[in-house]
Amino acid sequence: MNEAVLVIEDEPKISRLLELELQYEGYQVGKAGSGTEGLEMVADRQWDLILLDIMLPGLSGIEVLRRIRAKDARIPILMLTAKDSVEDKVSGLDLGANDYITKPFRIEELLARVRAALRLSAAASTVSSPSALTSPDMNHNSSASSPDLTSGWLTAAGLKLNEGTREVSRDGTQIELTPREFDLLVYLLQNQRQVLSREQIVQAVWGYDYYGDTNVVDVYIRYVRKKVDNGFTPQLIHTVRGVGYVLKEQL
């Protein structure tokens, strides 16, 4: 294991603890004690994952997150914070964080979430690579109604999504999605006409080691619906009461 993890944390004891535990697990570790220093380190080299505190001197963690996401939509970012309200968690996730860890945390839980985020990142890179997109297995038993994985496009009615370029549009109108919203829509499109439970969506989009509540799915479904369904017909994302959600042209 040689993944590089950047810890942006201003509390020396927590920063040192994370450094030691991550190094013990085999990760390369860099540390920054402020938002400004963290952004400089992000610009200086490639990191596989970032642990980012919310409360930082100078630039806040939210602003650091915003600036990183403006240039890099793919690097996994896990937020560290003493705040524990649902609103704070949703706000951070909606700005592009991959996960949210509330202080005080158990180091075993944090390491599990790091592993989950890195696995998802590696899987996403494999799927979007040219060799994966042209694999014969991806073309086997394809049909006109199946997602067009070979070209990188997923479609439903007037909705179009390109996994490689991360372009999303409906009826010619460009749609801007956060990284998490994009991942959720990809999963729904890949499983069109299949009713998906909240647990299935959490495991696929947030990772098998996600420990949060499944009601985060309801929040993000609402966000995605607002962007891809409001003002368009037919409605594509439907609620199946007592079960979960399905993307299809008609319920």
Side-chain angles (χ1 to χ4, degrees):
M1 182 186 300
N2 56 6
E3 291 99 331
V5 177
L6 175 61
V7 178
I8 306 178
E9 166 65 64
D10 66 318
E11 295 185 40
K13 290 184 179 179
I14 295 179
S15 179
R16 180 58 175 162
L17 170 65
L18 292 173
E19 179 183 31
L20 292 174
E21 293 289 348
L22 289 165
Q23 286 178 340
Y24 183 80
E25 293 295 318
Y27 299 104
Q28 301 175 42
V29 183
K31 295 193 301 178
S34 70
T36 302
E37 183 184 4
L39 285 175
E40 291 174 351
M41 294 184 69
V42 170
D44 285 343
R45 65 163 292 180
Q46 181 69 40
W47 300 96
D48 296 297
L49 181 139
I50 297 173
L51 291 173
L52 175 60
D53 187 30
I54 288 285
M55 303 299 291
L56 292 170
L59 292 176
S60 70
I62 290 294
E63 181 59 26
V64 172
L65 171 63
R66 195 190 311 275
R67 295 190 187 190
I68 293 174
R69 281 290 177 248
K71 296 182 178 180
D72 189 334
R74 292 185 176 273
I75 183 172
I77 300 177
L78 278 61
M79 307 298 291
L80 305 175
T81 183
K83 299 178 180 179
D84 59 2
S85 72
V86 173
E87 291 78 11
D88 288 324
K89 291 179 180 180
V90 170
S91 176
L93 292 169
D94 195 39
L95 286 168
N98 296 78
D99 206 345
Y100 217 100
I101 303 172
T102 303
K103 300 176 184 177
F105 51 80
R106 295 181 60 183
I107 193 64
E108 294 85 358
E109 177 184 349
L110 183 141
L111 293 173
R113 295 195 184 197
V114 167
R115 291 192 295 269
L118 288 170
R119 281 200 304 271
L120 287 173
S121 178
S125 297
T126 300
V127 169
S128 62
S129 67
S131 59
L133 293 177
T134 57
S135 168
D137 292 338
M138 302 284 282
N139 297 323
H140 186 62
N141 290 334
S142 62
S143 66
S145 60
S146 300
D148 188 2
L149 296 178
T150 57
S151 69
W153 287 99
L154 297 170
T155 63
L159 178 65
K160 297 177 62 179
L161 179 150
N162 188 294
E163 293 185 82
T165 64
R166 303 183 75 83
E167 295 175 81
V168 181
S169 66
R170 185 156 188 196
D171 296 340
T173 300
Q174 295 298 310
I175 296 172
E176 296 294 329
L177 299 176
T178 67
R180 185 71 72 183
E181 291 168 355
F182 182 87
D183 292 342
L184 174 58
L185 185 57
V186 167
Y187 185 61
L188 293 172
L189 283 167
Q190 287 175 336
N191 294 276
Q192 291 180 47
R193 297 175 294 280
Q194 295 185 43
V195 177
L196 303 168
S197 69
R198 290 171 179 81
E199 290 75 14
Q200 286 177 299
I201 295 172
V202 163
Q203 290 177 0
V205 179
W206 277 264
Y208 285 91
D209 293 320
Y210 176 73
Y211 291 90
D213 296 330
T214 58
N215 62 7
V216 72
V217 173
D218 303 323
V219 173
Y220 274 84
I221 286 287
R222 186 169 70 249
Y223 290 161
V224 174
R225 266 184 178 151
K226 185 176 181 180
K227 294 181 178 182
V228 306
D229 269 349
N230 284 8
F232 299 101
T233 54
Q235 300 293 290
L236 292 176
I237 301 175
H238 305 276
T239 301
V240 180
R241 293 190 179 279
V243 183
Y245 299 97
V246 60
L247 188 150
K248 60 189 299 185
E249 294 187 28
Q250 293 183 353
L251 185 62

